């Protein structure tokens, strides 16, 4: 796969796609999301970083209502997120999600894992779904493994299947919640390469990650969170070379020394 290159030459992102307005969430007395205001534009790659427990994953999971919110609104493509039922299932089809754990169906082949959603939810024909699945599996470099079961693949390969499975639903936005944190170091690059390729091809992405190299090279914008709040946001270049807040300086000082 091609090496990581900067996105600075790419076209500017388009109109707002995901909008969080005054979002608050509590777990009991713990205020895990504090007055979050964030607009993600079509084609933009937003990387969310920060210390553990800062609310990054919770923020990511509110965008497809895996986590509910207590105050504020979240909209996708101009529509408020539905509460439940068929409308919520429709929304989840528009929001691809890739987790730390691969969440593949162990008893289904790789091909079956990727075609299940398009057939059941998008009502695609099996022939059409399988053709698209092979195309996506080829794109992430594992079409030759399509007849195998998840347990027969490495962690990095399983995560690439999970990305292909999410893409098969033709989502408007892809959410990645620490997609490489469960992987061995040598497998991280193969997953990040796939994500960089997606970013270059204009996929709207929200990525919660500890991979600062990815944040620097593939992100259009870095969101730094601490204690449930967005402390600062900037271009990767500005954030990493000239952080504005003491919290960000402290965080970068700790992680970039190692």
């Amino acid at each position: 796969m091609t090496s990581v290159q900067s996105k600075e030459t790419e076209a500017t992102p388009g109109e707002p796609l995901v909008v969080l307005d005054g979002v608050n969430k509590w777990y009991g007395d713990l205020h895990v999301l504090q007055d979050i205001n964030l607009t993600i534009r079509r084609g933009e790659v937003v990387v969310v970083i920060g210390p553990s427990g800062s609310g990054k994953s919770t923020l990511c999971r509110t965008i497809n209502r895996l986590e509910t919110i207590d105050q504020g609104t979240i909209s996708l493509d101009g529509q408020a997120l539905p509460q439940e039922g068929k409308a919520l299932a429709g929304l989840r089809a528009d929001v691809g999600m890739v987790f730390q754990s691969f969440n593949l169906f162990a008893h289904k082949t790789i091909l079956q894992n990727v075609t299940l959603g398009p057939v059941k939810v998008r009502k695609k024909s099996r022939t059409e779904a399988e053709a698209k699945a092979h195309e996506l599996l080829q794109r992430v470099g594992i079409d030759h493994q399509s007849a195998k079961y998840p347990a027969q693949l490495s962690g990095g390969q399983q995560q690439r299947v999970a990305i292909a499975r999410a893409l098969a639903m033709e989502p408007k936005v892809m959410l990645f919640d620490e997609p490489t944190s469960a992987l061995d170091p040598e497998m991280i690059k193969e997953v990040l390469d796939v994500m960089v390729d997606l970013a270059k091809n204009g996929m709207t992405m929200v990525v919660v990650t500890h991979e600062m190299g990815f944040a620097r090279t593939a992100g259009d914008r870095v969101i730094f969170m601490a204690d449930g709040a967005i402390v600062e946001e900037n271009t990767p270049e500005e954030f990493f070379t000239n952080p504005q807040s003491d919290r960000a300086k402290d965080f970068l000082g700790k992680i970039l020394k190692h």
Side-chain angles (χ1 to χ4, degrees), residues 45-237:
V45 178
V46 174
V47 183
V48 186
I49 65 173
S52 293
S54 57
K56 308 183 299 291
S57 290
T58 306
L59 172 72
C60 191
R61 291 163 71 92
T62 61
I63 296 173
N64 71 346
R65 290 200 73 86
L66 281 176
E67 297 275 4
T68 55
I69 59 174
D70 298 310
Q71 285 176 358
T73 59
I74 303 176
S75 62
L76 173 69
D77 214 1
Q79 303 286 317
L81 295 200
Q83 297 295 323
E84 56 197 14
K86 276 193 171 172
L88 180 56
L91 162 90
R92 290 218 173 113
D94 285 336
V95 181
M97 182 109 194
V98 179
F99 303 89
Q100 279 177 295
S101 52
F102 322 122
N103 291 1
L104 298 174
F105 293 110
H107 61 290
K108 292 187 181 294
T109 65
I110 298 312
L111 185 64
Q112 288 169 335
N113 265 279
V114 179
T115 56
L116 189 66
V119 170
K120 294 274 193 214
V121 180
R122 294 289 195 207
K123 306 302 181 196
K124 298 264 175 82
S125 72
R126 186 158 299 284
T127 308
E128 187 185 1
E130 287 188 356
K132 181 70 175 174
H134 281 300
E135 184 189 312
L136 289 168
L137 288 168
Q138 194 164 3
R139 185 173 170 185
V140 301
I142 37 179
D143 191 38
H144 60 294
Q145 311 271 29
S146 63
K148 290 187 176 176
Y149 290 87
Q152 295 173 279
L153 272 56
S154 71
Q157 289 171 329
Q158 289 187 59
Q159 193 61 296
R160 285 187 279 155
V161 173
I163 293 171
R165 180 180 62 177
L167 289 172
M169 296 296 286
E170 298 171 354
K172 294 177 179 177
V173 58
M174 286 277 284
L175 310 177
F176 294 86
D177 186 9
E178 301 194 11
T180 58
S181 61
L183 298 177
D184 292 334
E186 69 270 20
M187 293 175 191
I188 290 173
K189 183 179 183 300
E190 65 188 55
V191 173
L192 291 178
D193 280 346
V194 170
M195 292 169 62
V196 168
D197 183 54
L198 282 181
K200 284 184 184 161
N201 283 291
M203 173 59 75
T204 309
M205 294 162 63
V206 180
V207 184
V208 175
T209 187
H210 295 291
E211 298 296 331
M212 297 302 134
F214 176 84
R216 282 188 110 129
T217 52
D220 293 303
R221 188 159 41 125
V222 170
I223 305 290
F224 175 72
M225 291 186 72
D227 303 320
I230 293 175
V231 177
E232 64 179 279
E233 55 182 293
N234 216 324
T235 63
E237 179 63 23

